Amino acid sequence: MRIVSLLPAATDIVAELGLAADLVGRTHECDWPPDVIGAVPVVTAAGFDADAMSSREISGAVSGGHHGSSIYTLDSALLADLAPDVVLTQDLCELCAVSYRQVTGALRVLDAGPRVVSLEPATLPDVLGCLTDVGDILGVPGRAAARLRTLRERLDRVSAAVDGLNRPRVAAIEWLDPLWPAGHWVPEQIGVAGGEPLLAEPGEHTAAMTWDALRAARPDVLLLMPCGFSPERTDSEWRLLTRNPGWDELPAVREGRVWVLDGPSYFNRPGPRVVRGVEVLAHVLHGVTAGDPVSPGEAHRLR
């Protein structure tokens, strides 16, 4: 089967199902597993150079009239040449990836179009459910069921490891400037890892918030996981927050519990690696090791 993934999380799912060798096209942001980077053709591009822009500039470019069709470009000719049987995309957020409408519009030129599948997870169970859905579509339902059992067992181990421990109040930040709380599945990740999520409900599609709202929430732990930013990029920009009044008064700051996390790998993308994100949070919130030890690249505390 020839698969094109137009969503990094979908590429993660295909790899989890052992079908990475069937990928014939991917987005410019698909970077897991690492083998796809040099082996699989890229069919999308960003409409601006985010590496050369600040968080505020990126936000301004996005909000200044851009939508999915202009933020991301799709190489329709290459997509047609790749002749995929299945195209995996999304319509959850036009700021995160090429939209379903853009993909279907591009594929109308094909005489015998591929099956276009839109993944729309909003909660942690939805994310896990996508593994089953994609497994059925790609003809490996048994393999998907086995992988799903393993992922659920890992979540159960985290729950057992943090059971009965004090639950700190946790604020997860998905964008630094403007300030934006992490919603969708992230509150559930925090909950499973033994924390009390603030600022967003499970499944919520959040919006920009004021500094006063974060200050009033008085989080015990502050998690910085900007969407699409590597930990190194977050390290270069987190001081934007320190210019706000009362930064030093936040309990999380006073207690040294401000953390930089690998958002793209474990929190921003609704793929199987959100389970690793829960294991990382168990370490961050409680010092608990569930699964492999957490590396500084996955989470490190600000000093």
Side-chain angles (χ1 to χ4, degrees), residues 14-221:
V14 172
E16 185 77 16
L17 294 173
L19 297 174
D22 292 334
L23 281 167
V24 297
R26 64 178 177 93
T27 78
H28 60 286
E29 293 184 324
C30 292
D31 54 10
W32 186 267
D35 291 349
V36 307
I37 296 174
V40 182
V42 174
V43 297
T44 69
F48 53 81
D49 184 4
D51 290 338
M53 302 167 70
S54 68
S55 293
R56 175 64 65 170
E57 289 170 337
I58 294 170
S59 180
V62 169
S63 61
H66 290 280
H67 297 287
S69 59
S70 54
I71 292 175
Y72 301 101
T73 59
L74 177 64
D75 189 334
S76 301
L78 177 57
L79 182 60
D81 289 343
L82 293 173
D85 300 304
V86 175
V87 177
L88 301 173
T89 184
Q90 61 89 48
D91 211 25
L92 179 68
C93 176
E94 290 194 334
L95 307 183
C96 295
V98 174
S99 72
Y100 177 80
R101 289 184 294 276
Q102 187 179 356
V103 175
T104 54
L107 291 173
R108 288 194 187 102
V109 300
L110 301 182
D111 292 333
R115 182 174 181 181
V116 181
V117 179
S118 180
L119 306 178
E120 308 294 336
T123 65
L124 186 56
D126 290 346
V127 173
L128 297 179
C130 283
L131 192 67
T132 300
D133 295 340
V134 174
D136 289 344
I137 291 163
L138 300 184
V140 289
R143 193 179 304 171
R147 296 306 302 150
L148 183 59
R149 282 194 299 272
T150 298
L151 292 172
R152 285 177 171 162
E153 288 169 0
R154 289 169 61 188
L155 291 175
D156 289 342
R157 282 197 292 271
V158 174
S159 294
V162 302
D163 185 43
L165 300 179
N166 179 58
R167 297 177 67 86
R169 302 168 72 252
V170 181
I173 303 302
E174 197 169 57
W175 200 249
L176 301 178
D177 188 19
L179 204 60
W180 203 291
H184 292 130
W185 45 87
V186 175
E188 291 164 297
Q189 289 180 284
I190 293 169
V192 175
E196 186 67 35
L198 304 173
L199 307 175
E201 297 295 326
E204 181 180 353
H205 188 82
T206 57
M209 62 180 289
T210 65
W211 172 255
D212 286 343
L214 176 59
R215 188 178 179 183
R218 296 182 57 77
D220 301 312
V221 181

